[in-house]
């Protein structure tokens, strides 16, 4: 029976908002998550941070509002990290994010202007942004969409569901080939052995309906 095996627990973030302050101690200690952003505490160059985010299928964080800026700021405070790379690059003539969108909302000091040689941008714990014109190493924040989080926990299905609920999440809905590719990539990135392991996801067959569905109530169609 599956519930007697040592299983790995798979969560899907975007189903319910996950605030940084509610993260379980079972989350990886060097990573902090919300539905939109994923903070890494290991200090790397701006170039390496860009590559790391792209490897995850995203880009360095793009911030277009005060609410988004506060969301990232809370991650820094939770991690007690002084500064992180965000996805903004400035020159005298170009002010745009790594995804190609223009700079609108800004927390740069008005006295700071992009030098002709270009400057990358760091965000501090206070929420302010700073130009960095020299080689520098810092943590980084990736913008994420539909991010899965993998937990190596020996739990029953009920236990895994409860753990998700405690962290304001639900078990994963893996409803498309794209979802499957994301999960496979995550397993590979985390270095988890695929032999002799099963993974809880959010499919269920409620007695009341007799119809297979996902934890969020959507039909589980084959």
């Amino acid at each position: 029976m599956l519930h007697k095996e040592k299983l790995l627990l798979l969560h899907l973030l975007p189903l319910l908002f996950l605030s940084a302050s509610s993260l379980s101690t079972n989350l990886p200690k060097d990573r902090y998550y919300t539905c939109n952003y994923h903070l890494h505490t290991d200090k790397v160059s701006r170039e390496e941070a860009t590559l790391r985010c792209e490897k995850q299928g995203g880009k360095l964080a793009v911030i277009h509002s005060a609410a988004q800026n506060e969301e990232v700021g809370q991650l820094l405070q939770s991690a007690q990290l002084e500064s992180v790379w965000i996805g903004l690059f400035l020159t005298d003539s170009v002010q745009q994010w790594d995804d190609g969108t223009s700079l609108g909302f800004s927390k740069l000091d008005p006295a700071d202007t992009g030098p002709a040689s270009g400057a990358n941008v760091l965000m501090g714990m206070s929420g302010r942004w700073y130009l960095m014109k020299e080689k520098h190493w810092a943590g980084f924040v990736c913008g994420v969409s539909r991010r899965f989080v993998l937990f190596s926990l020996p739990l029953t299905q009920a236990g895994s569901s409860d753990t998700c609920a405690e962290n304001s999440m639900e078990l994963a809905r893996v409803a498309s080939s794209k979802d499957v590719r994301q999960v496979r990539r995550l397993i590979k990135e985390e270095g988890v052995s695929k032999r002799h392991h099963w993974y809880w996801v959010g499919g269920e067959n409620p007695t009341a309906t007799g119809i297979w569905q996902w934890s969020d109530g959507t039909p589980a169609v084959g």
Side-chain angles (χ1 to χ4, degrees), residues 116-136:
S117 60
N120 295 305
V121 178
L122 290 166
M123 178 175 174
M125 196 184 298
S126 67
R128 301 295 302 178
W129 303 354
Y130 307 93
L131 296 180
M132 178 52 61
K133 308 171 188 178
E134 303 172 353
K135 195 72 173 179
H136 186 77

Side-chain angles (χ1 to χ4, degrees), residues 39-101:
L39 182 147
H40 295 257
T41 60
D42 44 327
K43 296 182 179 180
V44 299
S45 67
R46 211 287 195 173
E47 294 77 14
E48 177 65 17
T50 300
L51 291 174
R52 295 269 195 99
C53 290
E54 290 176 350
K55 185 178 179 180
Q56 294 180 16
K59 293 184 180 296
L60 278 170
V62 173
I63 301 172
H64 286 307
S65 69
Q68 290 178 336
N69 199 66
E70 182 178 359
E71 189 174 339
V72 176
Q74 288 176 349
L75 287 177
L76 269 75
Q77 291 172 22
S78 296
Q80 288 297 293
L81 199 61
E82 291 184 1
S83 62
V84 292
W85 294 116
I86 57 176
L88 184 61
F89 181 80
L90 303 178
T91 69
D92 287 338
S93 59
V94 177
Q95 296 184 338
Q96 71 176 27
W97 295 95
D98 286 4
D99 66 354
T101 55

Side-chain angles (χ1 to χ4, degrees):
M1 295 293 289
L2 289 183
H3 66 278
K4 295 296 184 180
E5 300 288 341
K6 180 178 179 181
L7 304 178
L8 295 180
L9 176 60
L10 184 68
H11 299 285
L12 178 62
L13 287 179
L15 296 175
L16 291 174
F17 180 75
L18 174 62
S19 67
S21 61
S22 69
L23 289 175
S24 165
T25 54
N26 293 317
L27 281 169
K29 297 297 187 296
D30 63 337
R31 303 176 193 175
Y32 297 80
Y33 301 84
T34 70
C35 292
N36 304 303
Y37 300 106
H38 177 185
L39 182 147
H40 295 257
T41 60
D42 44 327
K43 296 182 179 180
V44 299
S45 67
R46 211 287 195 173
E47 294 77 14
E48 177 65 17
T50 300
L51 291 174
R52 295 269 195 99
C53 290
E54 290 176 350
K55 185 178 179 180
Q56 294 180 16
K59 293 184 180 296
L60 278 170
V62 173
I63 301 172
H64 286 307
S65 69
Q68 290 178 336
N69 199 66
E70 182 178 359
E71 189 174 339
V72 176
Q74 288 176 349
L75 287 177
L76 269 75
Q77 291 172 22
S78 296
Q80 288 297 293
L81 199 61
E82 291 184 1
S83 62
V84 292
W85 294 116
I86 57 176
L88 184 61
F89 181 80
L90 303 178
T91 69
D92 287 338
S93 59
V94 177
Q95 296 184 338
Q96 71 176 27
W97 295 95
D98 286 4
D99 66 354
T101 55
S102 299
L103 176 65
F105 172 84
S106 175
K107 292 295 285 186
L108 284 167
D109 188 308
D112 284 336
T113 58
S117 60
N120 295 305
V121 178
L122 290 166
M123 178 175 174
M125 196 184 298
S126 67
R128 301 295 302 178
W129 303 354
Y130 307 93
L131 296 180
M132 178 52 61
K133 308 171 188 178
E134 303 172 353
K135 195 72 173 179
H136 186 77
W137 284 261
F140 60 101
V141 179
C142 300
V144 296
S145 60
R146 202 137 204 265
R147 179 68 180 173
F148 294 95
V149 179
L150 190 67
F151 288 110
S152 298
L153 299 174
L155 297 174
T156 63
Q157 194 279 340
S160 64
S161 182
D162 289 345
T163 300
C164 286
E166 289 170 3
N167 288 283
S168 300
M169 296 186 284
E170 293 182 2
L171 282 168
R173 178 165 63 91
V174 188
S176 69
S177 58
K178 181 179 179 181
D179 292 341
V180 172
R181 288 194 297 271
Q182 285 184 313
V183 171
R184 285 177 174 171
R185 183 170 63 242
L186 176 62
I187 293 170
K188 184 177 180 180
E189 289 174 358
E190 296 292 332
V192 179
S193 172
K194 289 184 260 187
R195 296 188 61 191
H196 309 303
H197 285 98
W198 294 91
Y199 302 83
W200 286 122
V201 293
E204 56 186 19
N205 187 352
T207 304
T209 64
I211 300 174
W212 280 95
Q213 65 183 35
W214 296 106
S215 301
D216 63 357
T218 57
V221 180

